[in-house]
Amino acid sequence: MSEAASIGSREKILEVAEALFARRGFSGVGLREVADAAGLGKSSLFHHFKSKVQLYFAVLERVMQRIDERLQPVLGAAGSPVHRLDAAIDALIDALVEQPTSARLLLRSLFEDDDFASDSLPEADPAERILAGLIGQLDGLLRAGVEAGVFRKVSTPHMVQTLIGATVYHFASGDFGETLIGAPLLSSEQVRRRKDELKALLHHGLAATAPAPSGG
Amino acid sequence: MSEAASIGSREKILEVAEALFARRGFSGVGLREVADAAGLGKSSLFHHFKSKVQLYFAVLERVMQRIDERLQPVLGAAGSPVHRLDAAIDALIDALVEQPTSARLLLRSLFEDDDFASDSLPEADPAERILAGLIGQLDGLLRAGVEAGVFRKVSTPHMVQTLIGATVYHFASGDFGETLIGAPLLSSEQVRRRKDELKALLHHGLAATAPAPSGG
DNA sequence: TTGCAGACCGACCGATCGGTCGGGTATAAA
DNA sequence: TTTATACCCGACCGATCGGTCGGTCTGCAA
């Protein structure tokens, strides 16, 4: 059982650490707390991860990977830019909802990078690489739509920012968002609503031609 | 000069604390660091603020007030919903740009509320009250546009979330955003660009232009 | 001149931080 | 049985945390 327990412990640590980091941020979480939540002694954490920073980036990488797995097939698929963008939004939101702590962790990571000068930390690389890849593909998708004349001539990086805000921020907004919406953000109804609202906004807001939906 | 110095010190503390909290979050900042940056001894902080939490919420309240002062005249003015929304976006972005740390602090505050169960902390009230007021007015503006038939029948709370994401998140995204955009987010060119892109998206995406299927 | 209050500070407090160390236990190969 | 390895732990380390305490300095009012 040693091997199974080992894998189980490592996963368990990543699991509880993800929740804690998402809730209180890197500095707000103590390793003692992580260990307790994982049902281990604090020293045991260092058997699986050599430092708090490494644990943090391992958690971040795992989150990125899960999102990447969801988005990759969609981004790689063929189809019109409109259809692919819709599918990407659905997939991203599905990924964020499936693991509710992801959104917060992801958004926090964009700020907390400054916290420990992530540029110089080699542990940060894998997660950043996945993120950069996703962003690049998303930007490429938008660019393709613009060049094909399907989308308006928007600034695709700005559009990417708007998309991140509309998805990651929304599902990271916690109590504030729930109060504003007036219902649990993760309820299937509100998730569907979010997808529909966003896709509709983009459908109208990105369309290169005056809307004439009835024709087709 | 005692009184002037006192006021000066208090402001100085708020100023440096705002920058630090924005950069590293509540838990990531030590009071020693704040005191040093303000040119004071650590004990002196407690002469002006009775605890770290109170200092944090004082900082947050100040940020909210500055944004409120910028937005209030715009939100209260008369005019068509389209024009008022455009003006609100300009004003909000101006406010976020004028005090570059505001965006991050604001966005962080939505998460870090969970950190210390802000519901029960009386210090949090003023800031939350201002925020709630602004959100309410923004939602009302959108609702008015929808009811007037100028905007599509969108979910106004969801639209508010999208707006926050497109403004606050964007200017809080730091290095990530700059890398994505490829230029300083706060440069006058990129600020103007952000406003234009967002207003264009909304102009196309919110317009209630009856598709008039009979026409085409 | 005295008294008082606001501003400020050094020294200190208990608690907690990330991390180390030495050792204990179980399994599996030799 | 011995050896190696993975896993786990209690005790401990120096540093730092938020916060307190007693006291100094300054300007002002009486």
Side-chain angles (χ1 to χ4, degrees):
Chain A
M1 248 217 283
S2 75
E3 198 173 341
S6 130
I7 293 181
S9 283
R10 207 191 132 94
E11 279 301 304
K12 181 80 177 174
I13 294 171
L14 286 171
E15 193 181 312
V16 301
E18 178 181 330
L20 287 170
F21 281 143
R23 230 186 319 261
R24 285 199 282 282
F26 180 80
S27 320
V29 175
L31 291 185
R32 172 88 191 263
E33 198 179 358
V34 176
D36 284 352
L40 293 173
K42 197 184 61 169
S43 322
S44 304
L45 296 187
F46 292 91
H47 179 72
H48 299 278
F49 308 94
K50 75 174 186 195
S51 73
K52 189 188 181 184
V53 207
Q54 200 186 67
L55 168 61
Y56 174 77
F57 282 113
V59 167
L60 197 59
E61 186 182 346
R62 217 176 59 128
V63 168
M64 295 288 188
Q65 274 171 351
R66 276 201 303 254
I67 294 178
D68 195 53
E69 284 165 13
R70 280 271 198 174
L71 274 178
Q72 220 44 255
V74 165
L75 288 171
S80 77
V82 180
H83 180 263
R84 285 206 296 156
L85 182 57
D86 280 0
I89 288 170
D90 285 339
L92 175 56
I93 291 185
D94 282 341
L96 294 177
V97 168
E98 188 188 31
Q99 266 291 332
T101 56
S102 301
R104 238 171 222 235
L105 196 73
L106 207 56
L107 202 50
R108 265 192 203 272
S109 79
L110 298 184
F111 308 155
E112 306 199 287
D113 272 12
D114 280 2
D115 203 339
F116 25 60
S118 76
D119 312 315
S120 53
L121 297 194
E123 293 97 333
D125 252 27
E128 281 189 4
R129 218 171 278 272
I130 298 177
L131 179 60
L134 283 175
I135 296 299
Q137 285 176 279
L138 196 52
D139 185 79
L141 169 54
L142 289 171
R143 199 175 299 270
V146 171
E147 286 172 3
V150 198
F151 293 153
R152 277 171 40 232
K153 286 201 178 67
V154 297
S155 157
T156 55
H158 275 280
M159 199 62 216
V160 170
Q161 282 281 74
T162 304
L163 285 176
I164 296 175
T167 51
V168 181
Y169 156 73
H170 172 77
F171 285 103
S173 62
D175 285 343
F176 171 80
E178 297 217 344
T179 305
L180 174 55
I181 302 288
L185 298 187
L186 297 176
S187 69
S188 60
E189 182 199 345
Q190 285 305 323
V191 169
R192 183 171 34 80
R193 189 66 175 269
R194 186 69 201 163
K195 290 181 184 174
D196 291 345
E197 290 281 340
L198 180 53
K199 286 186 287 187
L201 177 67
L202 294 179
H203 195 262
H204 290 83
L206 274 179
T209 59
S214 63
Chain B
M1 250 220 278
S2 75
E3 198 174 341
S6 127
I7 294 179
S9 282
R10 207 191 132 92
E11 279 300 303
K12 180 79 178 176
I13 294 171
L14 287 171
E15 194 181 310
V16 301
E18 178 181 331
L20 286 170
F21 282 142
R23 233 189 313 266
R24 287 199 280 284
F26 180 80
S27 321
V29 175
L31 291 185
R32 171 90 189 261
E33 197 179 359
V34 176
D36 284 352
L40 292 174
K42 197 185 61 169
S43 321
S44 305
L45 296 187
F46 292 90
H47 179 72
H48 299 277
F49 307 93
K50 77 174 187 196
S51 72
K52 189 187 181 184
V53 211
Q54 200 186 66
L55 168 61
Y56 174 77
F57 283 113
V59 167
L60 197 60
E61 186 183 346
R62 217 175 59 127
V63 168
M64 295 285 188
Q65 273 171 351
R66 276 201 303 255
I67 294 178
D68 195 52
E69 284 166 13
R70 281 270 197 174
L71 275 177
Q72 219 44 256
V74 165
L75 288 171
S80 76
V82 179
H83 180 264
R84 285 206 296 154
L85 182 56
D86 279 0
I89 289 170
D90 285 338
L92 175 55
I93 290 184
D94 282 341
L96 294 177
V97 169
E98 189 187 32
Q99 267 290 333
T101 57
S102 301
R104 243 176 218 231
L105 196 73
L106 208 55
L107 202 49
R108 267 191 202 273
S109 80
L110 299 183
F111 308 155
E112 307 200 285
D113 272 11
D114 281 1
D115 203 338
F116 25 61
S118 76
D119 312 316
S120 54
L121 296 194
E123 293 98 332
D125 251 27
E128 282 188 3
R129 218 170 278 271
I130 298 178
L131 179 61
L134 283 175
I135 296 298
Q137 285 176 278
L138 196 51
D139 185 78
L141 169 54
L142 290 171
R143 198 175 301 269
V146 171
E147 285 171 5
V150 197
F151 293 154
R152 278 172 39 233
K153 287 201 177 67
V154 297
S155 158
T156 55
H158 276 279
M159 197 64 214
V160 170
Q161 283 280 73
T162 304
L163 285 176
I164 296 176
T167 52
V168 181
Y169 156 73
H170 172 76
F171 286 103
S173 62
D175 285 345
F176 171 80
E178 297 217 344
T179 304
L180 174 56
I181 301 288
L185 298 185
L186 297 176
S187 69
S188 60
E189 182 199 342
Q190 286 305 324
V191 169
R192 183 171 35 78
R193 187 67 174 268
R194 187 69 202 165
K195 291 181 184 172
D196 292 345
E197 291 281 340
L198 179 53
K199 285 186 288 187
L201 176 68
L202 294 179
H203 195 262
H204 291 82
L206 272 181
T209 61
S214 59

